[in-house]
Protein backbone atom coordinates (compact mmCIF):
# COMPACT_ATOMS: atom_id res chain seq x y z
CA UNK A 1 0.00 0.00 0.00
CA UNK A 2 1.21 3.52 -0.72
CA UNK A 3 2.58 5.34 2.28
CA UNK A 4 2.58 8.89 3.53
CA UNK A 5 4.48 10.04 6.59
CA UNK A 6 3.38 12.72 9.03
CA UNK A 7 6.37 14.72 10.18
CA UNK A 8 7.01 17.77 12.33
CA UNK A 9 8.14 18.89 15.75
CA UNK A 10 6.20 17.80 18.87
CA UNK A 11 2.81 19.30 19.79
CA UNK A 12 1.77 20.50 16.36
CA UNK A 13 -1.08 18.00 16.04
CA UNK A 14 0.43 15.01 14.21
CA UNK A 15 -1.21 12.43 16.43
CA UNK A 16 -4.51 14.29 16.28
CA UNK A 17 -4.25 14.37 12.47
CA UNK A 18 -3.41 10.66 12.49
CA UNK A 19 -6.32 9.78 14.77
CA UNK A 20 -8.73 11.81 12.66
CA UNK A 21 -7.54 10.49 9.32
CA UNK A 22 -7.56 6.85 10.39
CA UNK A 23 -10.96 6.93 12.07
CA UNK A 24 -13.02 5.54 9.22
CA UNK A 25 -16.72 4.98 8.88
CA UNK A 26 -16.27 1.33 8.12
CA UNK A 27 -13.51 -1.18 7.87
CA UNK A 28 -12.51 -2.68 4.58
CA UNK A 29 -12.36 -6.42 4.17
CA UNK A 30 -8.81 -6.97 2.88
CA UNK A 31 -7.38 -4.79 5.64
CA UNK A 32 -8.64 -6.34 8.86
CA UNK A 33 -7.24 -3.67 11.12
CA UNK A 34 -8.13 -0.08 10.41
CA UNK A 35 -5.34 0.88 12.75
CA UNK A 36 -2.28 -1.27 12.13
CA UNK A 37 -0.56 -0.15 15.31
CA UNK A 38 -0.09 2.93 17.41
CA UNK A 39 1.60 4.88 14.70
CA UNK A 40 0.56 3.20 11.46
CA UNK A 41 -2.96 3.28 10.19
CA UNK A 42 -5.19 3.33 7.15
CA UNK A 43 -6.21 6.69 5.76
CA UNK A 44 -7.91 7.35 2.43
CA UNK A 45 -7.50 9.27 -0.77
CA UNK A 46 -10.93 10.60 -1.74
CA UNK A 47 -11.98 10.90 -5.38
CA UNK A 48 -15.29 11.21 -7.16
CA UNK A 49 -16.38 7.64 -7.83
CA UNK A 50 -17.37 6.62 -11.35
CA UNK A 51 -20.49 4.83 -10.11
CA UNK A 52 -22.68 7.88 -10.71
CA UNK A 53 -21.24 8.45 -14.19
CA UNK A 54 -22.48 5.00 -15.09
CA UNK A 55 -25.62 5.18 -12.96
CA UNK A 56 -24.83 2.02 -11.04
CA UNK A 57 -24.76 1.02 -7.40
CA UNK A 58 -21.33 -0.38 -6.66
CA UNK A 59 -20.04 -2.83 -4.10
CA UNK A 60 -16.38 -2.01 -3.57
CA UNK A 61 -13.95 -4.54 -2.17
CA UNK A 62 -10.59 -2.83 -1.85
CA UNK A 63 -11.98 0.63 -1.10
CA UNK A 64 -15.10 2.41 0.14
CA UNK A 65 -17.81 4.31 -1.68
CA UNK A 66 -19.71 6.87 0.35
CA UNK A 67 -22.26 9.14 -1.32
CA UNK A 68 -20.57 8.86 -4.70
CA UNK A 69 -17.06 9.35 -3.37
CA UNK A 70 -14.51 6.57 -3.54
CA UNK A 71 -12.09 6.28 -0.64
CA UNK A 72 -8.91 4.44 -1.59
CA UNK A 73 -6.77 3.22 1.31
CA UNK A 74 -3.23 4.43 1.91
CA UNK A 75 -0.96 3.86 4.86
CA UNK A 76 -0.45 6.82 7.16
CA UNK A 77 2.55 6.86 9.49
CA UNK A 78 2.65 9.06 12.57
CA UNK A 79 6.38 9.64 12.83
CA UNK A 80 7.95 10.54 16.18
CA UNK A 81 8.27 14.29 16.79
CA UNK A 82 11.38 15.82 15.35
CA UNK A 83 13.53 18.24 17.31
CA UNK A 84 16.54 20.24 16.07
CA UNK A 85 19.65 18.08 15.99
CA UNK A 86 17.76 14.91 15.19
CA UNK A 87 20.21 14.13 12.42
CA UNK A 88 22.90 13.86 15.09
CA UNK A 89 20.69 11.49 17.05
CA UNK A 90 18.98 13.99 19.34
CA UNK A 91 15.59 13.08 20.77
CA UNK A 92 13.97 10.29 18.83
CA UNK A 93 15.85 11.58 15.83
CA UNK A 94 17.06 8.31 14.44
CA UNK A 95 13.72 6.65 14.71
CA UNK A 96 12.21 9.63 12.98
CA UNK A 97 14.63 9.47 10.13
CA UNK A 98 14.32 5.71 9.76
CA UNK A 99 10.56 5.98 9.36
CA UNK A 100 11.12 8.59 6.77
CA UNK A 101 13.17 6.29 4.60
CA UNK A 102 10.23 4.42 3.21
CA UNK A 103 7.62 7.12 2.70
CA UNK A 104 7.64 8.56 -0.83
CA UNK A 105 5.72 11.64 0.28
CA UNK A 106 5.39 13.56 3.53
CA UNK A 107 2.87 15.75 5.25
CA UNK A 108 4.72 18.29 7.37
CA UNK A 109 2.36 19.35 10.13
CA UNK A 110 3.21 22.81 11.46
CA UNK A 111 1.54 24.81 14.20
CA UNK A 112 0.19 27.70 12.16
CA UNK A 113 -1.14 29.40 15.28
CA UNK A 114 2.44 29.96 16.44
CA UNK A 115 1.76 28.66 19.94
CA UNK A 116 4.68 26.20 20.19
CA UNK A 117 8.39 27.03 20.09
CA UNK A 118 10.93 25.42 17.76
CA UNK A 119 11.12 22.33 20.01
CA UNK A 120 7.37 22.10 20.46
CA UNK A 121 7.04 23.63 23.92
CA UNK A 122 3.80 25.54 24.46
CA UNK A 123 4.16 29.34 24.35
CA UNK A 124 1.63 32.10 23.96
CA UNK A 125 -0.46 32.34 20.83
CA UNK A 126 1.33 33.75 17.80
CA UNK A 127 4.74 33.94 19.44
CA UNK A 128 6.57 31.58 17.08
CA UNK A 129 6.67 31.91 13.31
CA UNK A 130 5.95 28.52 11.64
CA UNK A 131 8.04 29.58 8.62
CA UNK A 132 11.06 28.72 10.76
CA UNK A 133 9.73 25.20 11.26
CA UNK A 134 9.57 24.55 7.54
CA UNK A 135 13.14 25.74 7.09
CA UNK A 136 14.32 23.74 10.08
CA UNK A 137 12.71 20.48 9.02
CA UNK A 138 14.10 20.67 5.51
CA UNK A 139 17.51 21.38 6.95
CA UNK A 140 17.28 18.42 9.33
CA UNK A 141 16.58 16.05 6.48
CA UNK A 142 19.34 17.60 4.39
CA UNK A 143 21.87 17.30 7.20
CA UNK A 144 20.88 13.71 7.79
CA UNK A 145 21.26 12.78 4.13
CA UNK A 146 24.51 14.67 3.96
CA UNK A 147 25.84 12.83 7.00
CA UNK A 148 25.10 9.51 5.32
CA UNK A 149 27.10 10.57 2.27
CA UNK A 150 29.94 12.05 4.31
CA UNK A 151 30.25 8.91 6.36
CA UNK A 152 30.68 6.89 3.19
CA UNK A 153 32.44 9.49 1.10
CA UNK A 154 35.72 7.66 0.45
CA UNK A 155 33.90 4.59 -0.72
CA UNK A 156 31.58 6.67 -2.90
CA UNK A 157 34.54 8.47 -4.48
CA UNK A 158 36.31 5.18 -5.16
CA UNK A 159 33.25 3.62 -6.77
CA UNK A 160 32.51 6.78 -8.72
CA UNK A 161 35.50 6.18 -10.99
CA UNK A 162 33.54 3.33 -12.43
CA UNK A 163 30.03 4.78 -12.21
CA UNK A 164 28.98 7.90 -10.33
CA UNK A 165 25.27 7.19 -10.30
CA UNK A 166 25.75 3.67 -8.97
CA UNK A 167 28.16 4.92 -6.33
CA UNK A 168 25.51 7.28 -4.96
CA UNK A 169 22.65 4.89 -5.55
CA UNK A 170 24.20 2.25 -3.34
CA UNK A 171 24.05 4.62 -0.38
CA UNK A 172 20.78 6.35 -1.18
CA UNK A 173 18.50 3.60 -2.46
CA UNK A 174 17.64 2.69 1.12
CA UNK A 175 16.02 6.11 1.43
CA UNK A 176 13.80 5.36 -1.52
CA UNK A 177 15.82 7.39 -3.99
CA UNK A 178 15.89 6.33 -7.62
CA UNK A 179 18.84 6.34 -10.03
CA UNK A 180 16.96 8.77 -12.27
CA UNK A 181 16.71 11.23 -9.40
CA UNK A 182 20.47 11.07 -8.77
CA UNK A 183 21.18 11.56 -12.45
CA UNK A 184 18.81 14.50 -12.66
CA UNK A 185 20.44 16.17 -9.65
CA UNK A 186 23.93 15.78 -11.10
CA UNK A 187 22.88 17.23 -14.44
CA UNK A 188 20.74 20.07 -13.18
CA UNK A 189 23.26 21.21 -10.62
CA UNK A 190 26.18 21.10 -13.05
CA UNK A 191 27.86 18.50 -10.89
CA UNK A 192 27.96 15.80 -13.53
CA UNK A 193 31.37 16.85 -14.80
CA UNK A 194 32.88 17.70 -11.45
CA UNK A 195 35.03 14.88 -10.08
CA UNK A 196 33.87 13.71 -6.67
CA UNK A 197 37.43 14.14 -5.34
CA UNK A 198 36.95 17.88 -5.51
CA UNK A 199 33.35 18.19 -4.26
CA UNK A 200 33.16 20.45 -1.25
CA UNK A 201 30.57 20.52 1.54
CA UNK A 202 28.41 22.97 -0.37
CA UNK A 203 28.34 20.69 -3.39
CA UNK A 204 27.19 17.79 -1.26
CA UNK A 205 24.60 19.94 0.45
CA UNK A 206 23.09 21.28 -2.74
CA UNK A 207 23.07 17.75 -4.13
CA UNK A 208 21.12 16.34 -1.16
CA UNK A 209 18.81 19.37 -1.12
CA UNK A 210 17.87 18.73 -4.70
CA UNK A 211 17.32 15.04 -4.07
CA UNK A 212 15.30 15.64 -0.93
CA UNK A 213 13.02 18.04 -2.76
CA UNK A 214 12.37 15.50 -5.49
CA UNK A 215 12.33 12.26 -3.52
CA UNK A 216 10.59 13.48 -0.38
CA UNK A 217 8.04 16.03 -1.57
CA UNK A 218 6.08 17.64 1.24
CA UNK A 219 2.63 19.01 1.81
CA UNK A 220 2.59 21.63 4.54
CA UNK A 221 -0.42 21.09 6.78
CA UNK A 222 -0.80 24.48 8.44
CA UNK A 223 -2.56 23.11 11.47
CA UNK A 224 -4.54 24.74 14.27
CA UNK A 225 -6.02 26.94 11.54
CA UNK A 226 -9.03 27.51 13.79
CA UNK A 227 -6.99 29.72 16.12
CA UNK A 228 -7.05 33.48 15.50
CA UNK A 229 -3.30 33.87 14.95
CA UNK A 230 -3.21 31.26 12.20
CA UNK A 231 -4.58 33.34 9.35
CA UNK A 232 -1.60 35.68 9.01
CA UNK A 233 0.93 32.91 9.39
CA UNK A 234 -0.80 30.83 6.73
CA UNK A 235 -0.61 33.75 4.34
CA UNK A 236 3.06 34.13 5.15
CA UNK A 237 3.75 30.40 4.65
CA UNK A 238 2.16 30.54 1.21
CA UNK A 239 4.14 33.61 0.26
CA UNK A 240 7.47 32.32 1.54
CA UNK A 241 7.11 28.87 -0.03
CA UNK A 242 5.39 29.34 -3.37
CA UNK A 243 6.66 25.96 -4.53
CA UNK A 244 5.19 24.03 -1.62
CA UNK A 245 1.58 23.02 -1.27
CA UNK A 246 0.33 24.73 1.90
CA UNK A 247 -3.02 23.52 3.21
CA UNK A 248 -4.74 25.05 6.24
CA UNK A 249 -5.86 22.23 8.54
CA UNK A 250 -7.72 21.84 11.81
CA UNK A 251 -6.97 18.28 12.84
CA UNK A 252 -8.77 18.55 16.16
CA UNK A 253 -11.90 19.71 14.35
CA UNK A 254 -11.71 16.80 11.90
CA UNK A 255 -11.31 14.36 14.79
CA UNK A 256 -14.34 15.82 16.58
CA UNK A 257 -16.44 15.67 13.41
CA UNK A 258 -15.51 12.09 12.62
CA UNK A 259 -16.23 10.99 16.17
CA UNK A 260 -19.60 12.73 16.09
CA UNK A 261 -20.37 11.13 12.74
CA UNK A 262 -19.38 7.71 14.04
CA UNK A 263 -21.68 8.22 17.04
CA UNK A 264 -24.47 9.11 14.57
CA UNK A 265 -24.81 12.59 16.06
CA UNK A 266 -24.08 14.30 12.77
CA UNK A 267 -23.84 13.51 9.08
CA UNK A 268 -20.36 14.31 7.90
CA UNK A 269 -18.14 12.85 5.22
CA UNK A 270 -14.39 13.53 5.43
CA UNK A 271 -13.52 16.53 3.31
CA UNK A 272 -17.06 17.97 3.37
CA UNK A 273 -17.55 21.70 3.68
CA UNK A 274 -20.27 21.33 6.30
CA UNK A 275 -22.07 18.80 8.50
CA UNK A 276 -25.70 18.17 9.38
CA UNK A 277 -26.95 17.58 12.89
CA UNK A 278 -29.09 14.46 12.94
CA UNK A 279 -30.99 15.05 16.17
CA UNK A 280 -30.35 18.14 18.22
CA UNK A 281 -31.90 16.59 21.29
CA UNK A 282 -29.11 14.03 21.42
CA UNK A 283 -26.39 16.66 21.75
CA UNK A 284 -25.22 18.17 25.01
CA UNK A 285 -24.80 21.91 25.20
CA UNK A 286 -21.04 21.46 25.21
CA UNK A 287 -21.19 19.36 22.03
CA UNK A 288 -23.41 21.94 20.36
CA UNK A 289 -20.92 24.67 21.22
CA UNK A 290 -18.01 22.63 19.92
CA UNK A 291 -19.78 21.98 16.62
CA UNK A 292 -20.70 25.62 16.28
CA UNK A 293 -17.06 26.59 16.94
CA UNK A 294 -15.94 24.25 14.18
CA UNK A 295 -18.50 25.58 11.74
CA UNK A 296 -17.54 29.21 12.38
CA UNK A 297 -13.76 28.96 12.77
CA UNK A 298 -12.93 26.12 10.41
CA UNK A 299 -15.55 25.21 7.84
CA UNK A 300 -16.80 28.70 7.02
CA UNK A 301 -13.32 30.21 7.13
CA UNK A 302 -11.35 27.56 5.27
CA UNK A 303 -13.93 25.53 3.38
CA UNK A 304 -13.09 22.25 5.13
CA UNK A 305 -10.91 20.94 7.94
CA UNK A 306 -8.17 20.36 5.36
CA UNK A 307 -7.21 16.90 6.63
CA UNK A 308 -8.65 15.11 3.61
CA UNK A 309 -7.24 17.77 1.28
CA UNK A 310 -3.76 17.28 2.69
CA UNK A 311 -3.85 13.53 2.09
CA UNK A 312 -5.30 14.01 -1.38
CA UNK A 313 -2.68 16.61 -2.24
CA UNK A 314 0.14 14.29 -1.18
CA UNK A 315 -0.90 11.60 -3.64
CA UNK A 316 -2.81 13.38 -6.39
CA UNK A 317 -0.76 16.58 -6.60
CA UNK A 318 2.74 15.87 -5.34
CA UNK A 319 3.04 12.27 -6.52
CA UNK A 320 0.72 12.95 -9.48
CA UNK A 321 -1.14 9.71 -8.95
CA UNK A 322 -4.49 8.78 -10.45
CA UNK A 323 -7.24 6.35 -9.52
CA UNK A 324 -8.35 3.72 -12.03
CA UNK A 325 -11.09 1.10 -11.88
CA UNK A 326 -10.34 -2.28 -13.47
CA UNK A 327 -13.32 -4.52 -14.30
CA UNK A 328 -13.69 -7.87 -15.99
CA UNK A 329 -17.13 -7.40 -17.52
CA UNK A 330 -17.31 -4.18 -19.53
CA UNK A 331 -21.11 -4.22 -19.65
CA UNK A 332 -21.94 -4.99 -16.05
CA UNK A 333 -18.77 -3.29 -14.71
CA UNK A 334 -18.15 -6.30 -12.53
CA UNK A 335 -15.44 -8.70 -11.52
CA UNK A 336 -15.84 -12.45 -11.96
CA UNK A 337 -17.97 -12.68 -8.84
CA UNK A 338 -20.42 -10.00 -9.92
CA UNK A 339 -19.13 -7.19 -7.69
CA UNK A 340 -19.83 -3.85 -9.37
CA UNK A 341 -16.76 -1.60 -9.66
CA UNK A 342 -15.00 -3.72 -7.05
CA UNK A 343 -11.57 -2.15 -7.09
CA UNK A 344 -10.02 1.27 -7.26
CA UNK A 345 -6.28 1.45 -7.77
CA UNK A 346 -4.12 4.43 -6.89
CA UNK A 347 -1.30 4.40 -9.44
CA UNK A 348 1.34 6.77 -10.88
CA UNK A 349 0.01 8.76 -13.82
CA UNK A 350 2.53 7.06 -16.10
CA UNK A 351 0.90 3.64 -15.54
CA UNK A 352 -0.17 1.81 -18.70
CA UNK A 353 -2.81 -0.91 -18.96
CA UNK A 354 -0.07 -3.52 -19.03
CA UNK A 355 1.54 -2.04 -15.90
CA UNK A 356 -1.85 -2.17 -14.21
CA UNK A 357 -2.27 -5.81 -15.21
CA UNK A 358 1.04 -6.62 -13.52
CA UNK A 359 0.06 -4.63 -10.45
CA UNK A 360 -3.11 -6.67 -10.10
CA UNK A 361 -1.43 -10.02 -10.63
CA UNK A 362 1.77 -11.10 -12.34
CA UNK A 363 -0.16 -13.80 -14.16
CA UNK A 364 -2.57 -11.20 -15.51
CA UNK A 365 0.42 -9.20 -16.70
CA UNK A 366 1.92 -12.21 -18.45
CA UNK A 367 -1.33 -12.95 -20.25
CA UNK A 368 -2.01 -9.33 -21.22
CA UNK A 369 -2.86 -8.83 -24.86
CA UNK A 370 -4.62 -5.46 -24.76
CA UNK A 371 -7.09 -3.27 -22.95
CA UNK A 372 -10.55 -1.87 -23.41
CA UNK A 373 -11.61 1.60 -22.30
CA UNK A 374 -14.98 0.86 -20.78
CA UNK A 375 -16.40 4.37 -21.17
CA UNK A 376 -15.82 4.44 -24.92
CA UNK A 377 -15.90 0.65 -25.45
CA UNK A 378 -12.83 1.09 -27.63
CA UNK A 379 -9.44 -0.56 -27.47
CA UNK A 380 -7.03 1.46 -25.37
CA UNK A 381 -3.48 1.71 -26.73
CA UNK A 382 -1.00 -0.39 -24.78
CA UNK A 383 1.62 2.36 -24.72
CA UNK A 384 -0.76 5.08 -23.49
CA UNK A 385 -0.78 6.01 -19.82
CA UNK A 386 -4.14 5.48 -18.16
CA UNK A 387 -6.20 8.53 -17.21
CA UNK A 388 -7.75 9.55 -13.90
CA UNK A 389 -11.02 7.74 -13.12
CA UNK A 390 -10.64 5.46 -16.10
CA UNK A 391 -12.61 2.23 -16.07
CA UNK A 392 -10.52 -0.34 -17.84
CA UNK A 393 -10.82 -3.94 -18.88
CA UNK A 394 -7.65 -5.96 -19.30
CA UNK A 395 -7.84 -8.36 -22.24
CA UNK A 396 -5.98 -11.61 -21.72
CA UNK A 397 -4.74 -14.51 -23.77
CA UNK A 398 -6.76 -17.59 -22.96
N1 LIG B 1 -6.68 24.52 18.36
C1 LIG B 1 -6.26 23.38 17.84
N2 LIG B 1 -5.50 22.53 18.58
C2 LIG B 1 -5.08 21.39 18.01
C3 LIG B 1 -5.39 21.06 16.67
N3 LIG B 1 -4.82 19.86 16.39
C4 LIG B 1 -4.20 19.46 17.50
N4 LIG B 1 -4.33 20.38 18.50
C5 LIG B 1 -3.83 20.30 19.87
O1 LIG B 1 -2.42 20.33 19.87
C6 LIG B 1 -1.89 19.55 20.94
C7 LIG B 1 -0.85 18.58 20.43
O2 LIG B 1 -1.48 17.63 19.61
P1 LIG B 1 -0.80 16.23 19.23
O3 LIG B 1 -1.67 15.61 18.19
O4 LIG B 1 -0.53 15.42 20.44
O5 LIG B 1 0.59 16.74 18.60
P2 LIG B 1 1.90 15.91 18.16
O6 LIG B 1 2.86 15.98 19.29
O7 LIG B 1 2.40 16.63 16.97
O8 LIG B 1 1.50 14.51 17.87
C8 LIG B 1 -3.10 18.86 21.58
O9 LIG B 1 -3.48 19.58 22.74
C9 LIG B 1 -4.15 18.96 20.50
O10 LIG B 1 -5.46 18.95 21.03
C10 LIG B 1 -6.20 21.96 15.92
O11 LIG B 1 -6.53 21.76 14.75
N5 LIG B 1 -6.58 23.10 16.55
MG1 LIG C 1 2.31 12.73 18.62
Amino acid sequence: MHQVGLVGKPNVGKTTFFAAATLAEAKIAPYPFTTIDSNRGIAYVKVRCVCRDFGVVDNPRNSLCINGFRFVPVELIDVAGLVPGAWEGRGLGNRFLDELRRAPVLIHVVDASGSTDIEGRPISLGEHNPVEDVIFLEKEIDMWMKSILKRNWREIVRKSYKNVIEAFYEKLSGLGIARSCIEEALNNLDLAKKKLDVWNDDDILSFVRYIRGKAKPMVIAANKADLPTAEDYIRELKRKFPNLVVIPTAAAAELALRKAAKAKLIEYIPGDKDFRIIDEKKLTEKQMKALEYIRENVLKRWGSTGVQDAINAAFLKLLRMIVVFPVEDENKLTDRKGNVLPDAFLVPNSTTARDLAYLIHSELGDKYIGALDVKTKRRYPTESPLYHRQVIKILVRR
Side-chain angles (χ1 to χ4, degrees), residues 11 13-16 78-79 81:
N11 273 324
K14 296 183 300 299
T15 300
T16 309
D78 179 12
V79 176

Side-chain angles (χ1 to χ4, degrees), residues 8-10 80-97 118-119 132-133 135-145 147:
K9 70 186 186 186
L82 181 75
V83 294
W87 68 276
E88 297 167 308
R90 247 194 104 212
L92 289 169
N94 289 327
R95 193 188 127 203
F96 168 88
L97 296 163
I118 192 81
E119 304 216 347
E132 284 177 43
D133 298 353
I135 294 168
F136 136 73
L137 188 119
E138 291 190 339
K139 191 182 140 218
E140 274 310 313
I141 300 176
D142 293 344
M143 294 304 285
W144 169 61
M145 287 174 65
S147 74

Side-chain angles (χ1 to χ4, degrees), residues 157-266:
V157 172
R158 186 163 44 79
K159 293 197 169 149
S160 73
Y161 297 131
K162 225 167 141 191
N163 187 327
V164 188
I165 292 167
E166 285 306 315
F168 278 120
Y169 181 70
E170 218 168 78
K171 296 297 165 204
L172 294 173
S173 63
L175 316 186
I177 287 152
R179 289 185 179 84
S180 58
C181 182
I182 295 167
E183 186 172 10
E184 195 185 311
L186 293 171
N187 289 332
N188 287 1
L189 295 170
D190 265 337
L191 286 169
K193 293 213 181 66
K194 189 166 178 177
K195 281 252 181 307
L196 262 56
D197 309 76
V198 295
W199 277 33
N200 57 30
D201 263 27
D202 284 347
D203 292 330
I204 299 178
L205 197 59
S206 55
F207 178 69
V208 296
R209 269 189 75 88
Y210 188 97
I211 284 178
R212 186 253 311 144
K214 290 280 168 190
K216 302 290 168 189
M218 262 183 259
V219 174
I220 307 294
N223 196 38
K224 308 191 189 178
D226 52 295
L227 295 176
T229 43
E231 207 157 346
D232 284 344
Y233 279 141
I234 288 170
R235 207 172 303 121
E236 190 175 340
L237 282 165
K238 287 185 175 169
R239 197 175 57 234
K240 281 263 162 59
F241 306 106
N243 297 324
L244 295 179
V245 177
V246 177
I247 296 179
T249 61
E254 177 72 11
L255 183 59
L257 291 175
R258 289 207 192 184
K259 279 185 173 165
K262 199 161 191 173
K264 303 264 186 290
L265 297 170
I266 62 168

